[in-house]
Amino acid sequence: MRILISADMEGATGVTWPADVEPGTEQWQRFRRMFNGDVNACVRGLVDGGADDVLVNEAHDTQRNLLLEELDERARMLTGKHKPLSMMQGIDSGVDGVVFLGYHTGAGAEGVLSHTYLGNSVTGVWLDGVRASEGRLNAAVAAEHGVPVLLVTGDDKTCEDADAYVPDAGKAAVKECVSRYSAICLPPARTGKLIEEQARLAMARAGRVEPVFSGHHMEVAFDAAHLAAAAAVIPTVERISLLRVGYDAPTMTEAMMAFKIVTNIASGAVEKVYG
């Protein structure tokens, strides 16, 4: 049994504030170790549940946050940027399940550090008419490769969100959202046990399933008109309204590749003060 962990950081133990996850800050240095602790707890549970190989794909920001020297020796780590499948790199390597670790809710939703790809500027993303978090988008990519989502960890709002797109997956809430920048947090000693146990139980759901292929329609809403205008210069991307663009893609993988382009173009059009 080979398992992929897609590891994001906003939903990690204790994280509540932008500086907690911004590379180079004092707080990031502290919380990257808690992030590491969540990953190691997940690896322990997966291995205890029968996993033979665990690949950890770093999925946050620079994708160089985890400490290799502190990683459980039974895991392997995929680190660094510019991966073709981004957060889901490795999903096409014959894995039997994927864990969404340290995930968060999407842009426009309640939840600690809620966003979708861009920390701000994007106010909402819709997949086939349904408001979508990164988790929902990545679950659709996983389905296209016949890989079940085994477990989702993050705050309580993230787990509620996951109930809607992967109801059969395990959930581990490491904190309770109070606002976008505050939460009631469990200490690492407790979250480690919680994640480890849920990962162990999740292995009962591991095993490849029939891939689901279909075309998809995506829409992205921005907080400023010039960002929608910038994104609309991309071939196949249409400006639907003043603040929203949309496009069709024949597969979910291609839909996500196009989404990366849309967010990169929009991010490049953001000005420091006025956005």
Side-chain angles (χ1 to χ4, degrees):
M1 280 286 178
R2 303 177 60 210
I3 307 299
L4 174 69
I5 299 176
S6 172
D8 206 355
M9 195 173 178
E10 285 88 357
T13 293
V15 167
T16 60
W17 190 249
D20 297 347
V21 296
E22 293 172 359
T25 67
E26 182 179 352
Q27 285 296 93
W28 170 76
Q29 291 287 7
R30 174 189 174 205
F31 283 100
R32 66 191 301 206
R33 285 186 161 81
M34 293 201 205
F35 182 29
N36 236 104
D38 285 3
V39 168
N40 283 342
C42 188
V43 172
R44 289 195 301 270
L46 294 173
V47 172
D48 287 349
D52 302 300
D53 178 71
V54 180
L55 175 63
V56 181
N57 177 26
E58 274 219 57
H60 174 69
D61 198 86
T62 60
Q63 299 168 31
R64 297 179 61 85
N65 306 278
L66 294 171
L67 297 165
L68 182 62
E69 61 270 29
E70 295 184 13
L71 184 69
D72 189 302
E73 63 182 12
R74 294 168 294 183
R76 298 178 297 136
M77 186 168 72
L78 171 57
T79 184
K81 294 191 74 171
H82 308 305
K83 306 161 188 164
L85 295 177
S86 192
M87 299 181 78
M88 294 300 284
Q89 190 67 35
I91 199 70
D92 57 349
S93 63
V95 294
D96 300 290
V98 59
V99 173
F100 294 167
L101 184 140
Y103 270 44
H104 50 83
T105 53
E110 258 195 311
V112 176
L113 295 178
S114 58
H115 69 282
T116 306
Y117 267 56
L118 300 183
N120 50 39
S121 302
V122 171
T123 59
V125 177
W126 290 262
L127 175 63
D128 300 323
V130 178
R131 185 179 283 271
S133 60
E134 291 170 11
R136 181 181 287 274
L137 297 175
N138 291 341
V141 174
E144 193 165 88
H145 290 274
V147 179
V149 178
L150 305 181
L151 172 65
V152 179
T153 84
D155 70 358
D156 58 325
K157 299 298 183 182
T158 300
C159 293
E160 290 173 13
D161 177 50
D163 279 335
Y165 63 82
V166 283
D168 296 333
K171 315 294 186 311
V174 301
K175 54 198 169 191
E176 180 184 340
C177 173
V178 174
S179 74
R180 193 171 186 227
Y181 301 121
S182 62
I184 300 170
C185 298
L186 296 175
R190 291 180 62 182
T191 60
K193 292 175 183 176
L194 173 64
I195 293 170
E196 182 175 347
E197 177 63 8
Q198 288 300 314
R200 184 184 65 81
L201 295 173
M203 282 302 297
R205 294 182 286 273
R208 296 184 63 78
V209 296
E210 191 67 26
V212 178
F213 292 102
S214 65
H216 294 279
H217 179 74
M218 285 189 66
E219 295 187 10
V220 183
F222 299 97
D223 64 1
H226 72 286
L227 302 184
V233 304
I234 303 166
T236 76
V237 175
E238 176 187 1
R239 192 170 185 180
I240 297 170
S241 65
L242 185 67
L243 299 174
R244 188 182 293 215
V245 299
Y247 61 90
D248 295 304
T251 67
M252 192 60 206
T253 299
E254 291 180 64
M256 286 304 293
M257 289 180 172
F259 181 60
K260 284 175 63 178
I261 298 170
V262 167
T263 53
N264 282 338
I265 291 289
S267 178
V270 174
E271 298 297 333
K272 185 175 181 179
V273 176
Y274 287 90

